[in-house]
Amino acid sequence: MQQNLYDKFTVTHSPLTDTRPAAVSVADQLTSYVLGKLQPGMRLPSEADLAERYGVSRVTMREAVKMLAGRGLLDVARGRRAIVRQPDGSVFGDFLTSLIKSDSKHLFDLIQVRRSLEIQSATMAARHASRAGIMAAEAALARMRAAAQDARRGGEDAAAQMRFHQADADFHEALALASGNRVLSYLFEGMALPFRESFHVSLRGQQMRGLSLEDSVAAHAHILACISNGDVKGAGEAMSKLLDDAERNIRMAYSPASLS
Amino acid sequence: MQQNLYDKFTVTHSPLTDTRPAAVSVADQLTSYVLGKLQPGMRLPSEADLAERYGVSRVTMREAVKMLAGRGLLDVARGRRAIVRQPDGSVFGDFLTSLIKSDSKHLFDLIQVRRSLEIQSATMAARHASRAGIMAAEAALARMRAAAQDARRGGEDAAAQMRFHQADADFHEALALASGNRVLSYLFEGMALPFRESFHVSLRGQQMRGLSLEDSVAAHAHILACISNGDVKGAGEAMSKLLDDAERNIRMAYSPASLS
DNA sequence: AGCGTAAAGTAGTCATACAACTATGTAAAG
DNA sequence: CTTTACATAGTTGTATGACTACTTTACGCT
């Protein structure tokens, strides 16, 4: 969270001059404890215990716990003790989402960022994807195909469209996992969030360009085929084409005159 | 923050069945308010006012405010009302920092991610950097050069080394800004945080390989020259070389036998 | 051993009070 | 008239205690 005005790097060293709010310094200590001694899935002591342990009131302790939850380190729910969370991309996703909400221009910047990361992901996956990794991507591809058929048959089936988008995101996340780079997969997981909110826009652009979900499935299948064959260059180029297409879809929906 | 178990996308639509804690739903409303009606730099109403406005106690309102602060949307400090914050990369940086703390393998994943983003940044900057953008990068380069000299003269001058690293980060952020992609510059700003903590490791590897800070300055200068000349391909390749080198430095410090 | 229910544990919320710091306005000094 | 000093009000930080709503545990029954 980088508690705003209280820069931990310049202050924390000398506890005697630590003028930060107690909640902040307790949060820092708790962070070290969680990251250092605990494993994902483990339960923390209760707020009351922690409060006593750190010598603060429960209100203050609660704030510290909430800060860690805000950084995605803990799962907190009513009635049960907090649980150490497995790292994931949701914090990054929320960051991107509010960025785009504050200025929609950021969406196009993000598309460009995503493009180069996806190309790297596909390239690396083609280089050293495992059998299991490819099977996971194939499963996601199958879900995309099924959702595409449902959406076609059901007309404006919003649920099927949502399933399609989810399977699409799963596919790209599977490739990132197959690339062996976990940070990359966290970033994709996070990017899926803001794209989910604009995916109906993308869909509209796709239809305006006379393309169907099945076309998208075929493009994804081609990428996976390249990866499966170890065709590094082909995988990168195919992914590049796919992302160019996705960008055209969104731009088309925003300003139909600007692009093919 | 994606308040953990409480998925805003599946629940928020129907307020009647909103079983989330009050603090969470108030935080969502406040987020919309801040992102929609307020501009960076503006001050929020006091916690007491907000609490009354949303019909909750001050304790609950405080939690909501803290959640927004955690997402990097607000600056909160004792005695003064919260201020809407300009977007920046600190949230992303904290995310990466805790990721690396939980498993140092993530550092190498991050280096690969950074590599493709830096190449994209240099490429785009070469394509359409403004005069002002290039001057900003030149200024950062000058600071790098000065810090490198100080560090050489001062022996193990930790402060000069820190200045060098800061100027280095500024240089790359300046390129991202020159590329015109603001999301990219936020990401670089965030990545600088975890790299700051491992930069002395990188330095050690650099020395082990017989390279000096001046060599690094020269490599950066070459990149900037390419960008300044509009040499898109050259800029990308030069940046690629620089990042390969940086990775070698870190790997060398971790396991001296593994690489040149 | 399995099940249901009572009891204990735990997070969520509230009201209130005071502490610590900041911002503001007012009066004295130059 | 400007500047400084200070008292005052405004605002966030923290503590206490109580109660609610939900989850987990433990006990007793079948």
Side-chain angles (χ1 to χ4, degrees):
Chain A
M1 151 179 324
Q2 187 66 303
Q3 191 48 275
N4 308 325
L5 302 176
Y6 313 108
D7 190 332
K8 55 184 136 170
F9 293 102
T10 58
V11 179
T12 303
H13 320 132
S14 46
L16 295 175
T17 59
D18 190 346
T19 61
R20 298 176 303 170
V24 177
S25 65
V26 168
D28 274 359
Q29 296 176 55
L30 187 61
T31 300
S32 299
Y33 172 61
V34 168
L35 253 30
K37 314 268 185 201
L38 265 38
Q39 294 295 320
M42 292 177 69
R43 292 202 300 186
L44 265 69
S46 70
E47 290 178 354
D49 283 359
L50 289 171
E52 192 179 7
R53 193 174 304 192
Y54 289 107
V56 296
S57 75
R58 218 192 113 206
V59 177
T60 301
M61 194 67 234
R62 260 181 80 73
E63 265 188 30
V65 169
K66 284 311 185 72
M67 288 182 200
L68 267 70
R71 292 184 217 168
L73 263 44
L74 300 178
D75 257 339
V76 180
R78 153 183 266 150
R80 55 181 102 176
R81 294 193 307 210
I83 295 175
V84 180
R85 197 171 179 179
Q86 203 101 34
D88 70 17
S90 59
V91 173
F92 181 56
D94 286 341
F95 166 64
L96 294 176
T97 300
S98 59
L99 217 51
I100 290 169
K101 267 191 191 143
S102 78
D103 183 348
S104 62
K105 197 258 181 193
H106 286 132
L107 175 62
F108 296 98
D109 287 354
L110 180 59
I111 289 172
Q112 292 182 318
V113 166
R114 182 187 168 194
R115 188 174 183 281
S116 55
L117 293 181
E118 289 275 16
I119 292 171
Q120 181 186 28
S121 174
T123 304
M124 289 174 58
R127 226 174 249 130
H128 47 258
S130 70
R131 189 142 212 83
I134 289 176
M135 281 176 60
E138 272 171 356
L141 188 61
R143 286 200 298 280
M144 285 176 69
R145 192 171 280 124
Q149 286 183 355
D150 292 353
R152 170 179 293 278
R153 275 203 286 266
E156 282 284 320
D157 185 343
Q161 290 178 353
M162 211 49 144
R163 279 203 303 280
F164 181 87
H165 179 259
Q166 185 59 52
D168 189 340
D170 290 345
F171 178 88
H172 292 279
E173 215 179 311
L175 292 195
L177 278 170
S179 79
N181 189 315
R182 276 184 292 168
V183 170
L184 208 48
S185 61
Y186 297 145
L187 297 188
F188 283 151
E189 191 187 350
M191 285 189 293
L193 254 71
F195 283 129
R196 176 157 68 167
E197 307 210 16
S198 63
F199 104 104
H200 57 278
V201 174
S202 170
L203 255 180
R204 192 150 47 86
Q206 197 174 19
Q207 290 169 349
M208 290 164 73
R209 295 175 63 223
L211 300 172
S212 70
L213 293 180
E214 273 88 355
D215 294 323
S216 179
V217 172
H220 282 76
H222 179 226
I223 292 172
L224 186 53
C226 290
I227 290 172
S228 186
N229 294 333
D231 178 3
V232 174
K233 199 174 161 213
E237 286 171 357
M239 182 61 91
S240 176
K241 275 212 192 86
L242 179 76
L243 270 289
D244 285 346
D245 230 47
E247 182 172 356
R248 278 200 204 93
N249 291 340
I250 290 190
R251 287 199 187 277
M252 168 65 83
Y254 271 88
S255 53
S258 68
L259 272 168
S260 74
Chain B
M1 148 181 324
Q2 187 68 302
Q3 189 47 274
N4 308 324
L5 303 176
Y6 312 107
D7 189 331
K8 55 184 133 165
F9 293 103
T10 59
V11 178
T12 302
H13 319 132
S14 46
L16 295 176
T17 60
D18 190 346
T19 62
R20 298 177 303 172
V24 177
S25 66
V26 168
D28 275 358
Q29 296 176 55
L30 187 61
T31 300
S32 298
Y33 173 60
V34 168
L35 254 30
K37 314 270 186 202
L38 265 39
Q39 294 295 320
M42 292 177 69
R43 293 202 299 186
L44 264 68
S46 70
E47 289 178 354
D49 283 357
L50 289 171
E52 192 179 6
R53 193 175 306 190
Y54 288 107
V56 295
S57 75
R58 218 193 113 205
V59 176
T60 301
M61 194 66 234
R62 261 181 80 71
E63 265 189 31
V65 169
K66 284 308 183 71
M67 288 182 201
L68 268 70
R71 291 184 217 169
L73 262 46
L74 300 178
D75 257 338
V76 179
R78 155 182 264 151
R80 56 181 105 174
R81 298 195 306 217
I83 296 176
V84 179
R85 197 172 177 178
Q86 204 101 35
D88 69 18
S90 59
V91 173
F92 181 56
D94 287 341
F95 166 64
L96 294 176
T97 300
S98 59
L99 216 51
I100 290 169
K101 267 189 190 145
S102 77
D103 184 348
S104 62
K105 196 259 180 192
H106 286 132
L107 175 62
F108 296 98
D109 288 353
L110 181 59
I111 289 172
Q112 291 183 319
V113 165
R114 182 188 167 194
R115 187 174 183 281
S116 53
L117 293 182
E118 290 273 17
I119 292 170
Q120 182 186 27
S121 174
T123 303
M124 288 173 57
R127 226 173 249 131
H128 47 256
S130 69
R131 188 142 213 85
I134 289 177
M135 282 177 60
E138 273 171 354
L141 188 62
R143 287 200 297 281
M144 285 176 70
R145 192 172 279 122
Q149 288 182 354
D150 293 353
R152 168 179 295 277
R153 277 201 287 264
E156 282 284 319
D157 185 344
Q161 290 178 354
M162 209 47 142
R163 278 205 303 281
F164 181 87
H165 178 261
Q166 184 59 52
D168 189 340
D170 290 346
F171 178 87
H172 292 279
E173 215 180 310
L175 293 195
L177 278 170
S179 79
N181 188 318
R182 276 184 292 167
V183 170
L184 209 48
S185 60
Y186 296 144
L187 298 188
F188 283 150
E189 189 186 351
M191 286 189 290
L193 254 71
F195 284 127
R196 175 160 67 167
E197 308 210 14
S198 63
F199 104 104
H200 58 279
V201 174
S202 169
L203 256 181
R204 193 152 46 87
Q206 195 174 19
Q207 289 167 350
M208 291 164 73
R209 297 176 62 224
L211 299 172
S212 69
L213 293 181
E214 272 89 355
D215 293 323
S216 180
V217 172
H220 282 77
H222 178 225
I223 292 172
L224 186 52
C226 289
I227 290 172
S228 188
N229 295 331
D231 178 1
V232 174
K233 198 174 162 213
E237 286 170 358
M239 182 61 91
S240 177
K241 275 212 192 85
L242 179 75
L243 270 291
D244 285 345
D245 229 48
E247 182 172 355
R248 278 200 204 91
N249 292 340
I250 289 190
R251 286 198 187 278
M252 169 66 83
Y254 271 88
S255 54
S258 67
L259 272 168
S260 72

